[in-house]
Amino acid sequence: MTNIIVAGPRGQMGQEALRMIARENHFKLVACIDRKYDGKSVANIPSLPKIDAPIFTDAKTCLEQVDAHILLDLTIPDVGYKHTKLALQNKIRPVVGTTGFTAEHINELTTLAKQQKTGAIIAPNFAIGAILMMKFSQMAAKYFPDVEIIEKHHDQKIDAPSGTAIKTAEMINEQRTPKIQGHPSAYETIKHARGADIEGLKIHSMRLPGLVAHQEVIFGSEGQTLSIKHDSLNRQSFMPGIKLAIEQVIELDELIYGLENIPYFRN
Ligand code: NAP
């Protein structure tokens, strides 16, 4: 049995994750970390599944006192970073879906996980189709070095570009030499018109109600384009990846950043 603490249980991802945990016989929700309802049971909170597990508003107390193997964090960047650090300090393995961690946060947490000999997975995208989109894009970049990324998300997302777009750009850039694309004399009449830039690769971010998480990677060459596209239509799309990460992190003693780097996808 894998004992799991969920941080952010009332969020859209958190609610979906609680339902997934309730469905899996080998997973057990042992506590939640929330901003409200200290001392109450999850079962008594409207809209949450009828699971009898205590809610803590103080993450430190929760992670020190509860007998847990995993912290699943689905909150906001600053809070998720603090939770992940506390979990590692208590040798509880973090599985982090929260996006927007800085490179400094990731580096610091990687060092801490190594010191604590405690596995961790931080994944900007848990949709398995999105992992394949990134891998296929990396393959294509060898043959099509001119490429741009369009990512589209719901309008409540606070970070831009998305973690997935940044990760895709990094994977593509491992495959191609840095390249300034477009006309050498190109200029912007309105600032940022050409989007964000990672080593010459442009990322364009859209935020609209109705969207969930969508990305298209478009390669261009003489007389042809190649589009690799993935759509998450709802938050259920992330649950098989979260389940997989919880199962795999138990076997790890270091931090892995990106679901594409877990042993399951390496072989
Ligand atoms: P959401 O609906 O806004 O949920 C965020 C939750 O975090 C809310 O319940 C919020 O509580 C809670 N929270 C904020 N501060 C907190 C604190 N101090 N302690 C405990 N909980 C706190 O967002 P979402 O769509 O569920 O997404 C959650 C995170 O997952 C985001 O970072 C998002 O970018 C990320 N995400 C990742 C993936 C992936 O595949 N990795 C996919 C989708 C989303 P209040 O309601 O009280 O503010």
Side-chain angles (χ1 to χ4, degrees):
M1 186 63 74
T2 304
N3 290 354
I4 304 168
I5 296 171
V6 173
R10 286 178 299 105
Q12 298 190 68
M13 286 289 281
Q15 290 192 39
E16 206 55 62
L18 292 194
R19 286 192 280 272
M20 181 274 289
I21 291 167
R23 281 194 304 270
E24 298 298 326
N25 292 332
H26 59 307
F27 290 171
K28 184 179 179 198
L29 182 77
V30 288
C32 284
I33 300 170
D34 199 347
R35 291 208 291 190
K36 291 186 190 169
Y37 303 118
D38 193 36
K40 292 222 158 75
S41 170
V42 170
N44 295 331
I45 309 307
S47 82
L48 297 190
K50 300 287 167 224
I51 307 172
D52 188 22
I55 297 172
F56 292 75
T57 49
D58 183 32
K60 191 164 183 283
T61 309
C62 179
L63 292 161
E64 282 175 2
Q65 290 185 0
V66 176
D67 178 20
H69 305 110
I70 305 282
L71 164 73
L72 175 58
D73 193 275
L74 300 163
T75 60
I76 55 171
D78 284 355
V79 173
Y81 158 70
K82 282 183 204 140
H83 289 168
T84 307
K85 196 169 167 179
L86 275 169
L88 286 170
Q89 284 163 347
N90 287 285
K91 291 188 180 277
I92 294 174
R93 291 173 160 82
V95 169
V96 180
T98 305
T99 58
F101 279 30
T102 63
E104 289 75 34
H105 284 163
I106 308 274
N107 288 340
E108 185 195 332
L109 295 167
T110 302
T111 305
L112 180 60
K114 199 172 273 177
Q115 282 165 359
Q116 294 290 90
K117 295 188 176 49
T118 302
I121 295 175
I122 300 178
N125 200 323
F126 277 112
I128 289 170
I131 303 306
L132 295 177
M133 169 194 61
M134 290 193 266
K135 283 184 168 275
F136 296 157
S137 299
Q138 190 178 39
M139 282 169 69
K142 184 173 170 193
Y143 309 98
F144 293 91
D146 287 87
V147 50
E148 303 209 358
I149 297 173
I150 303 171
E151 60 96 342
K152 307 175 198 173
H153 281 82
H154 58 91
D155 63 345
Q156 297 307 303
K157 184 171 176 59
I158 55 173
D159 54 313
S162 71
T164 304
I166 294 171
K167 188 72 192 171
T168 310
E170 288 169 356
M171 287 172 69
I172 287 172
N173 285 337
E174 280 170 24
Q175 201 50 255
R176 62 168 213 167
T177 32
K179 174 169 185 184
I180 307 294
Q181 291 172 198
H183 196 284
S185 309
Y187 62 91
E188 293 176 334
T189 48
I190 298 177
K191 215 174 168 198
H192 306 309
R194 289 284 291 122
D197 188 298
I198 300 186
E199 294 187 1
L201 196 166
K202 301 291 184 190
I203 303 176
H204 311 272
S205 300
M206 274 174 63
R207 298 290 176 264
L208 284 172
L211 294 170
V212 179
H214 317 260
Q215 181 168 297
E216 189 168 6
V217 185
I218 307 173
F219 297 87
S221 179
E222 289 76 24
Q224 59 184 317
T225 62
L226 169 67
S227 295
I228 301 173
K229 186 166 177 282
H230 177 260
D231 296 282
S232 274
L233 304 176
N234 56 42
R235 283 170 179 76
Q236 285 172 18
S237 62
F238 305 111
M239 296 305 131
I242 292 184
K243 174 176 174 278
L244 183 65
I246 291 172
E247 288 162 353
Q248 294 249 305
V249 79
I250 294 288
E251 311 292 331
L252 300 177
D253 56 7
E254 58 175 350
L255 185 150
I256 292 185
Y257 178 64
L259 196 64
E260 65 284 0
N261 295 318
I262 66 171
Y264 180 82
F265 287 108
R266 268 198 241 126
N267 306 321

